[in-house]
Amino acid sequence: MVKILCRSLLLLAIVVFTVTGAFGQDYPTQPIRIIVPYTAGGSSDYVGRTVGAKLQENLGRPVVVENRPGGNAVIGTELVAKARPDGYTLLVAGFSVLAANMAMYKNLPYDTLRDFAPITNVQDSQIVVAVNPKVPVNSIKELIAYAKANPGKLNYGSAGVGNTLHLAGEMFCLTTGVILTHVPYKGASQALTDLLGGSIQLMFDLPQTPLSNIQAGRLKALAVTGEKRLDVLPDVPTMAQAGVPEYNFATWTGLVAPANTPPAIVDRLFKEITKALNQPAVRDSFAKQAMVVKPNESPEAFRQFIKNEIDRIRKVVQAADIKPEG
Amino acid sequence: MIKILSFKDFFAGLMFVAFGGTAVWLAQVYPFGSAGRMGPAYFPTLVGGLLTILGAIVSLRGLAVPGQKPGSFHCKPLILVLAGVVLFGFALERLGLMIAIFTLVVFSSLGGTEFRIRGVLILAAVLALGSFLVFIYGLGLQIPTWPFSF
Amino acid sequence: MELLGNIGLGLGVALTLVNLVYCFIGVLVGTLVGVLPGLGPLATMAMLLPLTFNLTPVTALIMLAGIYYGAQYGGSTTAILVNLPGESSSVVTCLDGYQMARQGRAGPALAVAALASFFAGTFATLVIAAFAPPLAEVALNFGPAAYFSLMVLGLVSAVVLAAGSLLKAFCMILLGILLGLIGTDVNSGMARFTFNISALTDGIGFVIVAMGVFGFTEVILNLEVKGKREIFAKKVKNLWLTKSEFKAAAPAVLRGTLLGSMLGILPGGGALLSSFAAYTLEKRISKNQAQFGKGAIEGVAAPEAANNAGAQTSFIPLLTLGIPSNPVMALMIGAMMIHNIQPGPQIVINQPQLFWGMIASMWIGNLMLVIFNLPLIGMWVRLLSVPYRLLFPSILLFCGIGIYSLSYNTFDIHIAALFGLLGYIFVKLECEPAPLMLGFILGPMLEEYLRRALLLSRGDPLTFFTNPISAGMLIASAILLVIVILPAVRKKREDVFAE
């Protein structure tokens, strides 16, 4: 009796594995949607469209990018969390959606580790410290000294309370022990406008936004976080070179699928995406936008990475007492 | 017995008081802050409070200053047109665009001055076909067409 | 002259066959999208973005830009024909344009809108070509205090929008502000008045409110009329402007263009204000103020010129500083990124053919639009003679689809219906919706800039007066307020004396 049961279970297991494996082979048979939870034109959008174009080439099926902005990226993210886990709906999500939101909001309609099957990271972005030329500092050390001499005087802008740029700024304050005044805006470009105009004095920003103005000399870039200098800003030292190696804030963007997506499909996507990312042309186009292509070794590695990030940011949020919900 | 000389002003004022008062009441849960460092509740309370006061003045004026006779409220078009739109909203994702269009056209036409069932159904069919061609096929909008397609 | 040489370079780029074709595709799609209520240029541009991958950067940007200002033309069409503002800038066109249509003057209304837009587009293009870099500098000098004062000026002028009771108009402005405050508060990150509904965290969309209050309400009101009274006057007078109409409209176009060109440069919401400001200006200086709101042609000409001029000059911060003035510009930046171009101060130097080619193509696009739209006027006017029982369900349907396509959320449709109800109540109680809309847009911005300015000045209210731009605008607001209130007060006293 037991023998028959075991054999039929084994048979069942073989059938199931073959079938799911077969699904992995047949995938994709439909168009794939990549959801970008931001309005078109940002860095996540760029990631989605570039990766999407490559997937379309390699998988032979149409890949459509859909922008579903709103609610601090929560709306688009929730959509994918609740989507069918068949590999036809993917999400471009990164640091702020998967890690920071978890640390800051009590009532999120999704749980990163529970609702998503990570595929891989796509790019890492450093933070550049940009100041208005009127500020009398020319290096990070000078900035710290000036800030310590005038606590709370310097204003730095961010794209909103709890936003990546806000967290980057707070981490800087915690790491270096200075006091800066945070000024939230409705978006990085609005903050940039005031930075150029001189109403605020500095920004801890992703390099893409202020890049052209730094290159034109309208802003001074004091340092970048990260291990190497950016190709597009060869004269700007790294934090380590500037004497503040403790501050190494970086943000990342990757692709995830809804939880319970068949592992065969996740692996297939992982292979295709990493293959595309490792092409020199793709690496270069990202580098031009100051993004460093950095895929993981495996989807599990990405999952572990995300978990670590959530824990890391929880500490920062607690220490800086950031409470967007009041 | 207080005579309402201007129906419109009196009730308009009441409406403003209601909105303003609700805003002030709802804003209480947020931190108020001070004039130099306003909290999220400061501005809404200010505006809501001002609206309440001015609304009261409008109402009082409605008691004192004569105004035009009020226009008549016609419930039929109001309810049916809005019902049509609301049902369209409910039907759109559950039953698909085609059925939603029929619902909208039928209900809103009922609110019109003349209702010929054949003309209404033909209109709905034409609109359904046209919408499908233009929006779903042509522009590629992600609107569910039939029931349970999502 | 260097300018002529650059324009020549630009025309050389813009007049190639490829660029002409894609310019035409862009403005055509843009017009169609603008006519459809709800669906806006942003969503369309995002959808067509993949198509641009295989195009050269210049061609891609020309097409995308064409969609954007083509939509402005299209939005005016629906505003005039069926009281539906396709874009936020078309709201003001509804006020007089729709009334003109009801009087059988839809032809002249559409014609003046197209011509005004073309003139404004031409002028604005020249402004960009000649003055882009220095104008960008001016934009940078606007800090939060200056923006706050600009909003105050805008709100005071909103009172002028009112045709009836000033007190009620002011109350409508306040109500609009309260409704606009629904959503996330920038300065604290908290969500206000959202009742934990995630669709409300970013507030209620302007288009949704406009469709409810203008579109749905109008349909309901029209259906109330029993009997055979025509909604649109059967006797269509003519399709073109009469001499007197032309004479009245021309100076309005000029004023609107200047105002719109200046306001469009400001990244913080200047272009939205331009049509409102132009309308207010026209009404204030007009000799027959009573006509406004009942079909004054200046009330269509000035805002149309202003919003088109503003739409063009809002490219300036993008092309010179790499800063987007609105979400559409942000998408243009994204498109440039995909083509590996860095928008910013370097573009004029590094990619002159891109910069000047785009500018020249903007003018060509405007030319195409006016040539394309004018013959269509006859067709649009004929559309109005369709029996209303067939027309209005179609209007409701296109609104519904348009609203849904904004965020793919049926909740938005229900909100619009709610505003349809509110709009109906407003009309019955003689409360005007136009001041509400302006308060809705300006209120939250007013608060944002107020708190930011106070944050930067560490609580010192004098910051609004130490900044010269800010002080100037506050003084202008005070003067405007006095000018507005004085006649009303004087009239009251005359009434009292007459008794």
Side-chain angles (χ1 to χ4, degrees):
Chain A
M1 187 59 214
V2 176
K3 245 190 168 173
I4 298 178
L5 195 61
C6 280
R7 262 202 224 140
S8 35
L9 275 176
L10 187 62
L11 191 61
L12 187 64
I14 294 175
V15 168
V16 167
F17 273 119
T18 321
V19 166
T20 41
F23 275 156
Q25 300 296 53
D26 280 337
Y27 172 87
T29 54
Q30 284 175 256
I32 301 174
R33 298 156 76 197
I34 298 185
I35 307 280
V36 174
Y38 299 99
T39 48
S43 53
S44 295
D45 189 64
Y46 184 80
V47 165
R49 291 183 191 275
T50 319
V51 169
K54 286 289 168 192
L55 278 180
Q56 187 165 307
E57 265 175 45
N58 299 342
L59 292 176
R61 289 278 155 196
V63 175
V64 178
V65 169
E66 268 182 45
N67 298 90
R68 294 288 180 107
N72 224 0
V74 166
I75 292 188
T77 310
E78 193 188 346
L79 181 75
V80 178
K82 301 201 164 97
R84 251 183 270 156
D86 51 14
Y88 293 109
T89 311
L90 308 173
L91 177 72
V92 174
F95 169 78
S96 64
V97 167
L98 299 175
N101 278 0
M102 290 283 287
M104 285 189 303
Y105 297 101
K106 290 170 282 205
N107 298 320
L108 271 188
Y110 63 86
D111 179 301
T112 303
L113 297 168
R114 183 195 68 199
D115 294 330
F116 292 110
I119 303 177
T120 177
N121 190 33
V122 172
Q123 58 97 346
D124 279 3
S125 262
Q126 289 108 331
I127 296 289
V128 64
V129 181
V131 297
N132 184 290
K134 292 211 188 83
V135 181
V137 297
N138 285 314
S139 71
I140 288 284
K141 287 272 188 203
E142 282 179 37
L143 175 71
I144 296 176
Y146 186 89
K148 284 206 168 127
N150 304 286
K153 179 173 172 196
L154 288 176
N155 301 301
Y156 79 91
S158 78
V161 173
N163 174 266
T164 308
L165 309 187
H166 180 201
L167 291 171
E170 290 304 310
M171 250 199 97
F172 184 80
C173 294
L174 284 172
T175 321
T176 57
V178 301
I179 302 179
L180 303 170
T181 305
H182 170 232
V183 183
Y185 287 82
K186 261 205 173 111
S189 36
Q190 296 203 358
L192 180 63
T193 313
D194 269 4
L195 179 64
L196 286 169
S199 307
I200 54 174
Q201 288 76 40
L202 81 139
M203 269 181 86
F204 298 88
D205 203 353
L206 299 171
Q208 301 96 295
T209 326
L211 184 61
S212 53
N213 282 293
I214 297 175
Q215 289 170 333
R218 284 172 171 274
L219 293 175
K220 276 193 292 205
L222 297 181
V224 288
T225 60
E227 306 150 349
K228 282 194 297 209
R229 295 192 177 198
L230 287 174
D231 292 338
V232 286
L233 290 173
D235 297 327
V236 179
T238 64
M239 280 291 169
Q241 291 165 346
V244 190
E246 318 87 69
Y247 183 60
N248 58 355
F249 193 92
T251 178
W252 43 270
T253 309
L255 260 97
V256 301
N260 301 324
T261 304
I265 295 183
V266 173
D267 284 331
R268 178 91 193 277
L269 285 167
F270 176 80
K271 285 199 188 69
E272 295 296 337
I273 296 175
T274 43
K275 192 170 72 181
L277 291 178
N278 285 323
Q279 291 172 0
V282 174
R283 279 183 180 271
D284 279 343
S285 71
F286 272 96
K288 274 224 186 86
Q289 310 297 341
M291 299 189 234
V292 178
V293 168
K294 225 169 171 208
N296 302 96
E297 288 121 29
S298 68
E300 289 74 47
F302 190 34
R303 168 179 279 270
Q304 188 57 41
F305 174 72
I306 295 175
K307 194 158 174 301
N308 294 343
E309 285 289 287
I310 295 177
D311 292 333
R312 184 172 77 100
I313 287 305
R314 277 217 169 100
K315 294 202 190 85
V316 175
V317 167
Q318 263 174 342
D321 198 30
I322 298 176
K323 282 206 287 265
E325 280 166 331
Chain B
M1 185 63 213
I2 303 177
K3 190 153 182 240
I4 298 178
L5 288 174
S6 172
F7 178 88
K8 291 183 188 180
D9 278 4
F10 181 69
F11 281 101
L14 280 188
M15 177 182 76
F16 291 134
V17 168
F19 273 117
T22 314
V24 173
W25 179 63
L26 285 176
Q28 300 225 335
V29 295
Y30 307 113
F32 194 72
S34 63
R37 259 220 118 116
M38 297 182 185
Y42 199 93
F43 198 68
T45 312
L46 208 66
V47 174
L50 189 59
L51 182 61
T52 315
I53 296 174
L54 292 180
I57 297 179
V58 171
S59 267
L60 289 174
R61 220 175 57 168
L63 294 176
V65 177
Q68 280 181 323
K69 279 186 72 66
S72 47
F73 273 76
H74 291 106
C75 286
K76 193 172 100 150
L78 177 69
I79 294 180
L80 285 167
V81 166
L82 291 181
V85 173
V86 170
L87 286 171
F88 176 80
F90 277 122
L92 190 58
E93 280 181 345
R94 293 179 184 84
L95 298 175
L97 183 65
M98 301 293 119
I99 298 182
I101 290 182
F102 271 85
T103 320
L104 174 67
V105 173
V106 167
F107 265 89
S108 54
S109 297
L110 280 171
T113 44
E114 40 182 319
F115 185 81
R116 301 178 211 155
I117 184 75
R118 209 165 53 130
V120 168
L121 288 176
I122 295 178
L123 175 67
V126 166
L127 285 176
L129 182 64
S131 306
F132 180 79
L133 288 173
V134 171
F135 296 110
I136 299 187
Y137 188 67
L139 285 175
L141 297 178
Q142 297 279 346
I143 306 180
T145 319
W146 302 109
F148 312 118
S149 38
F150 254 24
Chain C
M1 232 183 73
E2 202 193 300
L3 181 64
L4 286 177
N6 287 326
I7 294 183
L9 171 67
L11 283 173
V13 170
L15 287 174
T16 61
L17 188 61
V18 172
N19 289 338
L20 280 174
V21 166
Y22 276 97
C23 186
F24 184 71
I25 295 177
V27 299
L28 185 63
V29 171
T31 311
L32 289 173
V33 162
V35 169
L36 291 170
L39 188 63
L42 188 61
T44 319
M45 287 161 80
M47 278 192 284
L48 293 180
L49 205 53
L51 277 181
T52 66
F53 286 166
N54 297 324
L55 303 172
T56 59
V58 190
T59 316
L61 292 173
I62 285 178
M63 185 179 89
L64 291 174
I67 298 177
Y68 174 53
Y69 51 86
Q72 305 289 330
Y73 276 78
S76 324
T77 310
T78 28
I80 292 172
L81 293 178
V82 286
N83 204 44
L84 273 175
E87 293 289 307
S88 48
S89 40
S90 321
V91 167
V92 183
T93 313
C94 290
L95 297 176
D96 279 85
Y98 181 63
Q99 294 307 317
M100 283 180 74
R102 293 192 64 155
Q103 294 161 12
R105 295 161 66 210
L110 291 168
V112 87
L115 291 173
S117 299
F118 177 66
F119 178 82
T122 310
F123 184 84
T125 309
L126 283 173
V127 165
I128 299 178
F131 299 117
L135 284 176
E137 294 294 322
V138 169
L140 282 185
N141 281 321
F142 260 72
Y147 273 105
F148 168 76
S149 305
L150 180 65
M151 300 297 147
V152 169
L153 187 59
L155 279 177
V156 169
S157 56
V159 179
V160 177
L161 276 180
S165 156
L166 281 185
L167 185 59
K168 282 208 275 194
F170 195 66
C171 286
M172 286 301 270
I173 296 176
L174 292 176
L175 181 56
I177 295 179
L178 284 178
L179 290 170
L181 289 178
I182 299 177
T184 306
D185 168 36
V186 179
N187 280 290
S188 67
M190 282 193 222
R192 291 188 292 198
F193 307 130
T194 58
F195 307 110
N196 273 322
I197 303 175
S198 55
L200 287 178
T201 31
D202 291 319
I204 306 177
F206 176 89
V207 175
I208 297 173
V209 176
M211 293 232 235
V213 169
F214 282 85
F216 292 164
T217 304
E218 185 62 27
V219 166
I220 300 171
L221 289 173
N222 284 339
L223 290 179
E224 285 191 333
V225 175
K226 296 236 181 304
K228 281 282 177 191
R229 202 187 87 182
E230 291 298 334
I231 309 295
F232 296 99
K234 261 288 191 289
K235 185 167 58 86
V236 169
K237 299 208 176 101
N238 50 353
L239 292 180
W240 199 249
L241 299 159
T242 62
K243 217 169 184 187
S244 60
E245 283 175 335
F246 195 84
K247 267 176 70 178
V253 170
L254 201 58
R255 287 187 285 261
T257 305
L258 285 172
L259 202 52
S261 304
M262 289 193 302
L263 286 174
I265 306 166
L266 302 175
L272 271 178
L273 265 179
S274 37
S275 50
F276 286 107
Y279 186 86
T280 309
L281 180 65
E282 282 311 303
K283 188 170 171 193
R284 266 273 114 227
I285 68 178
S286 161
K287 294 185 187 50
N288 53 337
Q289 282 193 23
Q291 257 297 89
F292 276 77
K294 297 198 183 67
I297 198 157
E298 303 96 314
V300 178
E304 278 303 307
N307 80 23
N308 210 47
Q312 309 270 221
T313 51
S314 60
F315 275 91
I316 290 183
L318 173 71
L319 292 176
T320 52
L321 296 172
I323 298 176
S325 321
N326 52 48
V328 170
M329 296 299 143
L331 188 140
M332 300 283 280
I333 289 188
M336 288 188 200
M337 273 168 60
I338 291 179
H339 289 276
N340 283 324
I341 297 178
Q342 264 314 322
Q346 313 284 55
I347 279 210
V348 190
I349 308 168
N350 292 347
Q351 309 251 4
Q353 81 282 11
L354 178 75
F355 183 80
W356 296 109
M358 264 196 79
I359 292 180
S361 139
M362 280 193 222
W363 183 76
I364 293 180
N366 270 287
L367 186 63
M368 286 189 196
L369 279 166
V370 78
I371 295 178
F372 174 61
N373 274 302
L374 286 179
L376 283 184
I377 291 182
M379 184 193 91
W380 292 123
V381 172
R382 223 165 297 140
L383 192 68
L384 289 183
S385 57
V386 166
Y388 200 65
R389 65 182 162 83
L390 298 178
L391 197 57
F392 84 83
S394 318
I395 295 175
L396 293 175
L397 175 62
F398 295 139
C399 281
I401 295 181
I403 295 173
Y404 184 65
S405 71
L406 288 172
S407 309
Y408 294 102
N409 194 338
T410 54
F411 181 74
D412 292 339
I413 300 180
H414 301 144
I415 293 282
L418 178 64
F419 274 99
L421 175 64
L422 280 177
Y424 181 81
I425 296 177
F426 290 152
V427 170
K428 290 297 176 185
L429 293 179
E430 236 176 66
C431 299
E432 292 162 71
L436 181 110
M437 303 307 287
L438 194 54
F440 185 80
I441 299 175
L442 294 185
M445 288 203 273
L446 184 90
E447 187 203 14
E448 181 187 337
Y449 292 125
L450 173 68
R451 285 165 70 183
R452 187 173 299 141
L454 285 175
L455 176 61
L456 290 174
S457 72
R458 305 294 187 261
D460 177 18
L462 285 181
T463 181
F464 297 109
F465 295 100
T466 46
N467 181 323
I469 303 178
S470 167
M473 284 197 281
L474 284 178
I475 295 176
S477 312
I479 297 178
L480 188 58
L481 199 58
V482 170
I483 296 180
V484 165
I485 296 188
L486 214 51
V489 170
R490 198 181 301 140
K491 187 165 174 296
K492 274 257 171 59
R493 296 170 102 220
E494 282 172 5
D495 288 343
V496 169
F497 280 128
E499 277 164 22

